[in-house]
Amino acid sequence: MALIALASAKGSPGTTTAALVLALQWPRPVLLVEADLAGSSILAGYFRGQLPHDRGLQPLAIAHSHGDLEASFWGQTIPLVRNDPDKKLLPGIVSPHTAPAVANLWGPLANQLVSLERGGIDVLVDLGRLGTGGVVREDREPLVRLADQVLITTGSRLPDIAVTRELVKSRTSVVDAAARELTNLTALTVGPGRPYDANEIARTLGLGTVGSIAWDPVNAEVLSVGSPAGRKYSTSPLVRSAGPVISRLQERVEKRRARFATGPRDDGGGGSGPRRPPVYADGGPQAVHAGGPWRGDGGGHA
């Protein structure tokens, strides 16, 4: 596995919490990158505002402007878990007003993150809300194109599914259904069964699914606002739901890479094995939208 991004449509909840719980349960060394243009929330929430916001994307953008991106990269990260060198965080921007300051960083940063795979490090990127079809300029497009999987997170209520479906439509094309496996977009449901399940939602979006993160508000606050973890936190529905998602993610990454020719890796690394899919100037491997029936009539399916 290598680069996994998480994104959502307007008003669709849970992306940062999902990214955090996945990172904390990740079985390999992992870097979590806050790339949300709305601003960082992990330092104020998960870390309860106890750390200074003096490292992250903004200082890294300055380093990049001086040609020092690679040399400065790890110095802008912080431990995600105390005394655990295998889990790190690259904090995001302070506020939306500072987004223009990092606009030129996204392309070089995406390439830097892809290169971490050679060192045995996986990357999770919290994109937050993703721009839609030309309405919003999306400077972070290189992260979306190079990601092995982009998890489109959505709640399971009809308004959440409606805005998510429009986001998916804006980012996919109608082509032969046989090309469906080429897309790196995948659905991740946050809080299934309220009332629709992950498979129903995925069919409506025309995407595959990696399953769902449990709706567990009490334990989610451990991640979102830094609430103390209770003694049963490690076996909570929230934490237990992360493992199956990680397993399905690994399967989808391997399957998608296997659909492209095997041989020497084309990402600059040595050895052989499934290659990273090629990236095209028009936005990456041709994706598809094979959406199922959209029932907005209050019926029993999403």
Side-chain angles (χ1 to χ4, degrees):
M1 296 176 67
L3 179 59
I4 308 295
L6 294 90
S8 65
K10 176 182 178 180
S12 191
T15 304
T16 299
T17 298
L20 267 169
V21 74
L22 291 176
L24 293 170
Q25 300 304 310
W26 208 256
R28 285 168 28 109
V30 66
L31 171 69
L32 175 58
V33 179
E34 270 194 298
D36 190 342
L37 297 183
S40 171
S41 61
I42 293 178
L43 291 181
Y46 176 68
F47 286 106
R48 294 179 289 179
Q50 296 179 351
L51 299 179
H53 200 153
D54 57 357
R55 282 185 275 182
L57 291 181
Q58 288 172 255
L60 196 60
I62 295 173
H64 169 56
S65 69
H66 295 150
D68 296 328
L69 173 61
E70 185 174 356
S72 302
F73 183 81
W74 288 113
Q76 296 306 322
T77 66
I78 62 175
L80 189 60
V81 178
R82 183 179 298 177
N83 300 323
D84 188 346
D86 287 339
K87 298 185 187 299
K88 293 186 179 293
L89 170 71
L90 179 63
I93 59 178
V94 174
S95 73
H97 304 292
T98 57
V102 298
N104 294 328
L105 176 64
W106 300 118
L109 176 63
N111 290 325
Q112 176 72 19
L113 296 179
V114 167
S115 73
L116 297 183
E117 181 182 14
R118 297 196 298 271
I121 299 170
D122 294 324
V123 181
L124 299 178
V125 181
D126 176 9
L127 292 169
R129 181 184 175 185
L130 197 61
T132 56
V135 177
V136 178
R137 179 186 173 188
E138 188 49 81
D139 293 319
R140 300 167 298 169
E141 195 65 35
L143 289 169
V144 178
R145 294 182 186 181
L146 290 178
D148 288 285
Q149 293 284 284
V150 179
L151 306 188
I152 303 298
T153 65
T154 177
S156 62
R157 294 181 173 179
L158 200 57
D160 301 325
I161 301 167
V163 294
T164 303
R165 183 173 183 263
E166 292 307 308
L167 171 62
V168 171
K169 286 173 62 178
S170 75
R171 300 201 60 85
T172 54
S173 303
V174 179
V175 297
D176 192 296
R180 184 178 304 178
E181 294 299 325
L182 297 181
T183 181
N184 64 354
L185 301 184
T186 309
L188 173 64
T189 301
V190 177
R194 310 177 65 243
Y196 304 109
D197 66 35
N199 290 326
E200 287 180 302
I201 293 169
R203 285 195 297 270
T204 295
L205 299 179
L207 298 177
T209 178
V210 291
S212 58
I213 297 295
W215 184 255
D216 188 1
V218 172
N219 289 295
E221 288 195 349
V222 174
L223 306 180
S224 62
V225 297
S227 296
R231 62 185 180 88
K232 295 184 178 181
Y233 172 76
S234 61
T235 58
S236 66
L238 175 67
V239 172
R240 286 189 288 111
S241 66
V245 170
I246 292 171
S247 296
R248 293 185 73 174
L249 254 175
Q250 184 172 3
E251 292 171 1
R252 290 191 67 84
V253 169
E254 291 176 351
K255 183 177 180 180
R256 183 168 182 264
R257 287 190 177 188
R259 287 185 65 87
F260 299 89
T262 59
R265 293 186 185 275
D266 59 1
D267 58 5
S272 62
R275 292 185 296 177
R276 178 176 293 278
V279 176
Y280 303 107
D282 62 354
Q286 184 65 60
V288 308
H289 174 61
W294 171 248
R295 299 188 181 180
D297 56 2
H301 298 280

